[in-house]
Structure formats: structure tokens, C-alpha cells
Amino acid sequence: MGRDVREAVAEGARLYAAAQVVCGDHGRAVEAVQEALKPLQDEAVAWELDATPVARLQQVTEGRLRLESIERSGLRTVGRVLEAGPYRLRQIPGIGQRTADQILAAAQRLSEAVHEAVAVRIDVDRPEPRTTALVIALNLLVEAGPDGRRAVGMAEGLSQRLGPLLADARPAAGRFRMFLAGREKRSRALAAVDDIRSLVEDVDRAGVLELLTQASVDLLRGPATDIAAWVDFELRSAEYYSLLAEIPGRAPDVGAAQGFLPDELAERVRRQRLDDSGLRVSLRGYQEFGARFVLAQRKVVLGDEMGLGKTIQAIAALTHLATKGQSHFMVVCPPSVLVNWVREVEARSTLRCMLLHGPDRHEAFADWKGRGGVGVTTFDALRGFPTPGGGEVGMLVVDEAHSVKNPKTLRAQAVAQWVERCEHALFMTGTPMENRVGEFRNLIRMLRPGLAESLRERDASMGPVAFRRAVAPVYLRRNQRDVLAELPTLQCTDEWEELSVSDEEAYREAVRAGNFMAMRRAAYTRPEKSAKLGRLGEIVREAGENGQKTVVFSYFKDVLGVVGEALAGGVPVHGPLTGGVPAVRRQQVVDDFAAVPGPAVLLAQIQAGGTGLNMQAASVVVICEPQIKPTIEQQAVARAHRMGQVRPVRVHRLLATGGVDERMVKMLEAKTRLFDAYARRSAVAEATPDAVDVSDTELARRIVEEEQARLGMTDERLMPAE
């Protein structure tokens, strides 16, 4: 045989070996996680079974067992029955060998079901050796990142393809072997060599070998220290829990993850390929399905409950289209989330992103049209841009899509024109639409007129699941309780807002006066034009739509007054809780807030609400401005995120770009990391959080001076007012 044939086989063998190494390294990393997870999982299962009454065995056996004598003997839980074993059961009067076997078999089936469903919780405030071992083991896989995950998938695919090909091509590795092989084996060997050569060429073009090599390096990295692993877990807990959900190999609730779509439609969505090579983060299973749904159905409403990551699903769909040659995308959203969209696209993908907003928006639009990328603009600004030609824009994404539910408004008409010219359109809303058929029909009329006309007001009476099946071709919604069983109960989001013109004027006045405290609350000085207040209102309204209570924290009493006036007339508002309210009265206010059967808002000064009160009735927390010490925010959030909280807690920290908030966040970031890494692990530091000195006065002076310099006020520099 020729030299080129032998070289092709050798190249295939080297690639196969590299793939096998990655698979082996990943397998050992997974085994380490499984080993660390097992004692925690066994303990959680044992606790669950010990809390399960023995009467549940009747359900498993459809009432065929008589358990009265078992309960009288003191074995009142399923856990106690399993612990007793067959010998102890047979000692109970009336329990023979057959009955004992039936009881134990039923208990074992229930134990297996609990094992499948139980979720291991990692308590970051009470680290102990077993959870530390689990976090360290997970850290290796988290650090490998999305590229590591892609490398493992490629390695598995290459191993499956190259193994049989190399076996068939073995005779071609030498002339004598080829001579001794029969005609059929020679033919099969030459065909395998051609396939190997083609595969190796594809791999070389895609740079797969470099990806595999890097993955091996990452997976062989030594274990992190316990402090480093815990700090990283706090920063990226969702990624840890995402991996943890996959490690045991448990099958998720497929129906819930797929929004209870009809089987035929769900199968079509699963067949839709998703190229995630442009993403910088990994997707959870339900998020990947959501992105596939958007691509397969082309024009849809993604109505996932707040906190499930609608934005990353949209970005995943955009990056897929970009890999297929699409170059232009448009995101339209309220002004309050403009900056968040830009930051998310830039941080989570390789896509170019441009802000099409403000006085230079038309120049920016012209640049976007010429160079491509993701344009991010507002509903009002969209009206001023020319409608694109057919096929020019790969996808239109409309965030807070319920804002265009009224077809008579100019913003809705502008969106409708863009939707008509785009092959893909994604409407996003966290507001449940099942009981708002009229509004929902208006939205989907832009996407699928025929389906919209078939909906009637009375269709909502069929129930939410049945209604979602009826509108399945255009609507996907998942709830947190259905798909986030493994996620931690705390999710934190920095809401970056761009100051309005009015906000900016108030802020400049505070900077000119050298008043640090006025700078911190300038964004609320003129409520009618406040960007932060607008976003706060959206968060509260969406929480209310989902039946959730909200607690709003601020350092400043006057800010709470402004917030209270802005929210008046909506959901019930309680408080404000301030330092001047007697302790007994404070608890009464909190109790009244908790007693409200539906949505409500509690206003609290962060120093007063951050200590001594339990606010676990709230599952949404809003912090109006960054605090001087990280402990202040942590103690406030802990009022809601504590034992007794039955829903995930979402924390929204309102931050303004380009001013005091941004400077405070940057200056405190290093101190926060140090505090998390060391002081938080210390019982003394937890009891006396002020022991971590942040030097308030010096911090204020530095920020005022830097802001005066940035805004050209150096000649007017004054000492900061306290």
C-alpha cells in the first residue's frame, strides 16, 4: 500500500487516541463527583424516607397491603421498614415471609423513586467536609467551561466513528496485511481509509485537535483549594448545580422541560440542530430545548417564568443563526434593560453588539446596517428606523413583549412591520398569558395570524396546560418549580440602567456639590423620569403577575418614600420599615405583609430591615443602590433567603452606568471577594461584620474626586458631604 494510505491511518489513530484520552479524563472527573455526591445523596434519601409515612406503601401496591400491624410495631415510616429488614418484619404478628417480601419490595421501589427525585442542596453558609469535597470535584468540570463540554461531546463522537473505521482499515496499515486480506476486507479497508482521511481533514479545518488538547489540560488540572472552590461556587452556583443535575444520570421531567408540548411538535423541536459554538456559557437542558423551539418554529413567544434565562436562550438562537451565515439581528426592549442586553450578548457570546439609542442612534444604525451584529434599541427608537428588506435581518427579538399587546399603538405597529420582514421573530415575556387570551391573541397575530384568529376568549377556561397545548406551535412556557429542582434558592442579578437626561442632571448637581450621599440617590430625585424607578416598577409588576411578593431595600428613607408613591395604586404596599419604627411594630408590619394572600410589596431601610426580621414571604428582593459594605446587602438578603422560604429568591440590584454606582461596585469587588473567602467563614466575623473595614469616608472622598474629574469639575472639587 502507498505511503499516503499508511499516513492517513496513522493520523486517524492519533486522533482516536486523543479523543480517548479526553473521554477518559472526563470520565474520571465525573467519577470523582459521583463519589463525593453519593454520601450526601444517600443522606438526603434516608431523611426523605424517614419522613415518609408507611401508609405510602399502600399507594405503591394499589392498596393490596395491610399495614396496621406494621405501624403498631413502631415502624411508622418507610425508612424504618427498610432499616428493619426481613427478619424483624417476620417477628411481627400476622406478617409472614410472603408479606414481608411484598412490603420490602414496595419500600425499595419507593426508595428508588426518591433516589431519582431527591436534590442535594449545597449550603454555602455551613460548609462541611463532604460538601466541600463535592464543590471541589465539581470545580474541575466547571473550570473546563463550555469549550470543555464541547470537546467531550466531540471526543465521544470521534471515538464512536473512528473505532470501527480503524478496525476496518487495519489491513491497509501494511502491504503484507493487505496482501493476505481477502477481496472484501481489502475493499472495506480502502473505503475506511477514505472515510478516515475525510474525517481527519474536517477535524483539522475545525481546529478540533487543539480543542481536545486544551480539554485534557483543563481536566488534568490539580484540585482547587477549598476556599477558592467555595468562592467560585458562590459566583457561579448555577453552573455547579447545572452540572450536578446531569452527573447522577437522572432523567429530568421531560414534559415540564418541554413545556408540555404535544409529542409530535416536541419531537420536531428535538430534531432541530443547535450550533452553540458561538456561546461562552453552557446551556441547561430546558434552555437548549427553548433555543431549538425558537429556531424550529421561527416566530414564537417564549413565556418562561422570570429567572429561567430567557435572554440566554435568545442569544443561543442568535449565535446559531450567525453560524449559518446570518449577519444582522435586532433586539427591541424597554430602556431599562438596554444596558443589560448589551452586557449579556457581549459576555455570553462571540457576537458583536451595538447600542442603537440616544442622540447618535441613526449614525449607530447606519454602522450596524453596514457591519452587522446585534443591534439593541428601544420600542420608540425602532419607529424611527427604516423597515428592513425581506431576509435582511436574521431575527427580531422583542423583550417585555407584552408592551406591544395593544395593536393600535405606534410601537406595536412598528414591531409588526419588522416581524413581517424577518424570517425569525422571538417575543419574550415573563408574564403568564394563559388567562389573557385577548392580549395573547394580539401578540400572536403578529407572528401567526391564522392561529390568532382561531383563539376565543373562552378558550382559557380549558386550563393552562390544555391552553398551552392549543397554542403550542407559537408559545412555550416553563415554570421554575418544574425545571429548577437542583438550582440554589438564591439568584442575584445586577440590573444596569442608563441614566435618563433628568437623572443625569440631578447627578451632576450632586457631584458639583461634592455630596456623596446625594450622588448615591440622584437617580430617584426626579421620579417622573427615573430610569431606576421605571425598572423597579417593571420588576414589581412582573412579580405580581406571577403571584410573588417583593421586598424593596434602600439606605435612604426619602428614596423609599419615592418608591412608595410610585407603586401606590398597584399591589398593596407595606412600610416603610425604618430605624425609627419600634421593634414590635416592625414585626407587625412584616406579619401584615406576609398575611396578604397575593402579591404585595414591603419597603424597608436596609439597615433596619437587614437585622432581626424574617421576610421569607418575599421571593423577590430589590436593592435600590449599592451599599458601602458587602455585609449590609448580604444581611438584608438573608432576611428573605432563610429557612422557611419555599420559593427561589431572586435579588435585583439596581445600578446606574458611568457614575457612583459603577465606581462603588469596582472598588468594593476586591473587598467582597476577600470577605467571601475569609471573613464569611469566620464565626467571629459573622457576629461582628464591621470588623471588615471598608473605610467609608476615604471611599466617598475618592469617588467624589474621581467623578468631579471625569465630569470636568476639578476646579469645583469639594469635600464630600456625609
Side-chain angles (χ1 to χ4, degrees):
M1 294 303 298
R3 181 177 178 182
D4 60 330
V5 171
R6 293 193 297 274
E7 287 180 352
V9 175
E11 284 293 322
R14 282 193 288 271
L15 183 59
Y16 179 73
Q20 287 287 93
V21 167
V22 171
C23 291
D25 293 340
H26 179 258
R28 283 184 286 276
V30 170
E31 287 174 3
V33 173
Q34 290 173 327
E35 184 178 345
L37 176 63
K38 189 178 186 306
L40 295 168
Q41 194 171 32
D42 289 346
E43 181 183 67
V45 170
W47 187 91
E48 187 74 25
L49 292 175
D50 208 40
T52 303
V54 75
R56 282 286 303 280
L57 297 179
Q58 290 281 19
Q59 299 173 13
V60 177
T61 60
E62 298 178 351
R64 293 194 299 270
L65 291 175
R66 298 182 64 182
L67 303 169
E68 296 85 352
S69 58
I70 297 288
E71 293 182 275
R72 284 197 299 269
S73 73
L75 303 179
R76 295 187 175 86
T77 70
V78 176
R80 295 292 301 277
V81 167
L82 285 169
E83 184 182 330
Y87 179 78
R88 168 77 190 281
L89 290 177
R90 290 198 302 269
Q91 307 308 307
I92 299 172
I95 302 296
Q97 180 70 49
R98 182 181 176 186
T99 302
D101 290 345
Q102 289 175 332
I103 291 172
L104 286 173
Q108 190 59 44
R109 287 201 298 274
L110 194 56
S111 174
E112 291 168 359
V114 171
H115 225 97
E116 289 291 320
V118 73
V120 171
R121 300 284 182 182
I122 299 174
D123 190 343
V124 72
D125 292 317
R126 294 178 178 82
E128 47 103 358
R130 293 182 306 172
T131 52
T132 297
L134 177 59
V135 170
I136 290 174
L138 284 167
N139 175 262
L140 185 64
L141 292 169
V142 171
E143 284 293 327
D147 283 345
R149 188 170 181 169
R150 279 191 283 270
V152 171
M154 290 178 181
E156 291 172 347
L158 286 171
S159 295
Q160 292 171 3
R161 292 182 63 187
L162 281 170
L165 288 175
L166 288 169
D168 288 343
R170 187 173 293 114
R175 293 180 180 179
F176 188 67
R177 287 184 185 177
M178 200 65 166
F179 176 76
L180 293 178
R183 178 180 299 175
E184 183 180 345
K185 285 188 176 181
R186 284 199 297 270
S187 176
R188 194 162 60 240
L190 292 175
V193 169
D194 288 340
D195 289 343
I196 290 170
R197 185 182 287 116
S198 176
L199 184 57
V200 169
E201 289 173 354
D202 290 344
V203 164
D204 285 343
R205 280 194 298 269
V208 172
L209 191 57
E210 291 81 1
L211 189 66
L212 297 181
T213 303
Q214 184 60 52
S216 282
V217 172
D218 291 338
L219 290 169
L220 288 175
R221 185 182 291 121
T225 65
D226 55 352
I227 290 178
W230 275 112
V231 170
D232 191 61
F233 173 79
E234 291 189 55
L235 294 173
R236 298 190 287 176
S237 59
E239 295 181 43
Y240 282 76
Y241 276 104
S242 179
L243 277 169
L244 192 59
E246 299 170 4
I247 290 296
R250 297 194 303 268
D253 186 340
V254 176
Q258 297 178 358
F260 302 104
L261 296 181
D263 292 342
E264 183 178 349
L265 177 56
E267 179 57 31
R268 177 184 174 186
V269 172
R270 287 194 295 269
R271 288 198 303 267
Q272 168 67 49
R273 185 170 175 271
L274 177 65
D275 188 335
D276 64 353
S277 58
L279 285 178
R280 292 193 172 111
V281 295
S282 299
L283 299 175
R284 288 183 66 88
Y286 74 87
Q287 293 173 334
E288 185 174 310
F289 184 86
R292 291 174 189 267
F293 177 82
V294 172
L295 295 168
Q297 297 303 99
R298 296 184 180 274
K299 294 184 178 182
V300 300
V301 177
L302 181 59
D304 284 348
E305 188 178 12
M306 191 165 55
L308 290 183
K310 293 186 289 293
T311 301
I312 188 56
Q313 294 175 67
I315 294 172
L318 295 178
T319 58
H320 172 90
L321 292 174
T323 65
K324 304 309 169 190
Q326 295 285 355
S327 58
H328 290 71
F329 309 99
M330 180 65 76
V331 174
V332 57
C333 60
S336 58
V337 293
L338 277 170
V339 177
N340 275 342
W341 262 104
V342 173
R343 289 179 181 237
E344 288 290 293
V345 171
E346 292 177 344
R348 298 177 183 272
S349 78
T350 57
L351 295 173
R352 179 173 177 268
C353 193
M354 295 187 66
L355 184 62
L356 312 180
H357 181 59
D360 299 327
R361 60 186 178 276
H362 292 289
E363 290 82 354
F365 180 85
D367 185 29
W368 167 81
K369 192 168 183 180
R371 299 169 61 195
V374 181
V376 182
T377 192
T378 64
F379 293 103
D380 292 336
L382 187 73
R383 291 165 43 202
F385 298 147
T387 306
E392 183 180 338
V393 177
M395 178 181 285
L396 173 71
V397 178
V398 182
D399 197 3
E400 305 289 349
H402 47 272
S403 300
V404 294
K405 63 190 177 187
N406 184 353
K408 296 180 180 179
T409 61
L410 294 176
R411 63 168 53 181
Q413 293 167 13
V415 167
Q417 290 174 359
W418 276 71
V419 169
E420 189 177 355
R421 299 297 182 91
C422 296
E423 186 176 354
H424 291 84
L426 169 58
F427 284 10
M428 296 165 47
T429 175
T431 301
M433 304 301 294
E434 287 85 344
N435 297 320
R436 298 163 174 252
V437 178
E439 296 176 5
F440 185 79
R441 186 169 53 208
N442 290 338
L443 289 181
I444 64 172
R445 185 176 285 114
M446 301 184 201
L447 305 170
R448 296 202 182 189
L451 181 59
E453 297 309 318
S454 69
L455 289 178
R456 299 178 300 276
E457 292 290 339
R458 66 174 180 272
D459 287 345
S461 62
M462 68 178 75
V465 174
F467 178 73
R468 275 187 257 159
R469 284 181 176 273
V471 298
V474 75
Y475 182 53
L476 178 66
R477 177 175 173 86
R478 281 78 56 90
N479 297 316
Q480 283 197 10
R481 64 178 179 272
D482 294 329
V483 296
L484 291 189
E486 298 88 359
L487 279 181
T489 56
L490 181 64
Q491 302 166 40
C492 301
T493 303
D494 282 348
E495 302 274 358
W496 287 96
E497 314 299 331
E498 188 174 17
L499 292 176
S500 68
V501 174
S502 181
D503 291 337
E504 187 69 37
E505 290 173 356
Y507 182 71
R508 282 177 170 271
E509 291 175 8
V511 174
R512 185 174 288 108
N515 190 327
F516 178 66
M517 291 303 188
M519 289 162 59
R520 292 182 62 199
R521 60 183 186 271
Y524 302 93
T525 304
R526 302 172 184 179
E528 64 280 358
K529 299 290 185 179
S530 170
K532 278 192 179 184
L533 200 57
R535 180 57 183 152
L536 189 152
E538 291 170 1
I539 293 168
V540 169
R541 280 193 296 274
E542 187 166 342
E545 293 284 357
N546 287 286
Q548 297 167 320
K549 290 181 169 64
T550 303
V551 57
V552 178
F553 287 117
S554 176
Y555 183 87
F556 305 100
K557 288 188 283 188
D558 54 350
V559 169
L560 294 175
V562 169
V563 172
E565 290 179 9
L567 298 179
V571 299
V573 178
H574 297 256
L577 293 175
T578 68
V581 177
V584 175
R585 176 59 186 156
R586 289 188 207 176
Q587 189 59 59
Q588 185 60 52
V589 171
V590 173
D591 292 344
D592 293 343
F593 165 71
V596 176
V601 175
L602 174 64
L603 307 178
Q605 200 171 8
I606 199 162
Q607 311 93 303
T611 55
L613 294 173
N614 297 334
M615 302 174 180
Q616 59 263 43
S619 55
V620 177
V621 177
V622 179
I623 299 176
C624 291
E625 68 284 316
Q627 304 305 307
I628 295 290
K629 293 184 177 71
T631 48
I632 296 176
E633 291 185 13
Q634 290 164 356
Q635 288 178 339
V637 171
R639 297 305 101 206
H641 180 229
R642 61 187 299 111
M643 187 178 296
Q645 174 59 253
V646 295
R647 304 187 67 177
V649 174
R650 292 191 302 278
V651 181
H652 300 264
R653 186 166 62 153
L654 302 182
L655 303 168
T657 59
V660 62
D661 289 2
E662 194 156 284
R663 292 190 180 276
M664 285 181 67
V665 168
K666 288 179 180 178
M667 285 184 174
L668 292 171
E669 193 170 44
K671 291 183 181 291
T672 302
R673 278 180 166 270
L674 284 172
F675 178 84
D676 285 343
Y678 299 103
R680 193 171 182 182
R681 310 291 167 221
S682 164
V684 175
E686 287 182 358
T688 57
D690 287 340
V692 182
D693 181 25
V694 186
S695 304
D696 302 8
T697 304
E698 180 59 28
L699 177 70
R701 179 182 291 106
R702 286 174 57 193
I703 290 177
V704 169
E705 290 177 352
E706 290 175 8
E707 282 299 279
Q708 287 177 338
R710 182 178 70 87
L711 297 175
M713 302 175 184
T714 51
D715 292 337
E716 303 170 53
R717 189 178 299 164
L718 300 172
M719 286 291 292
E722 295 296 333

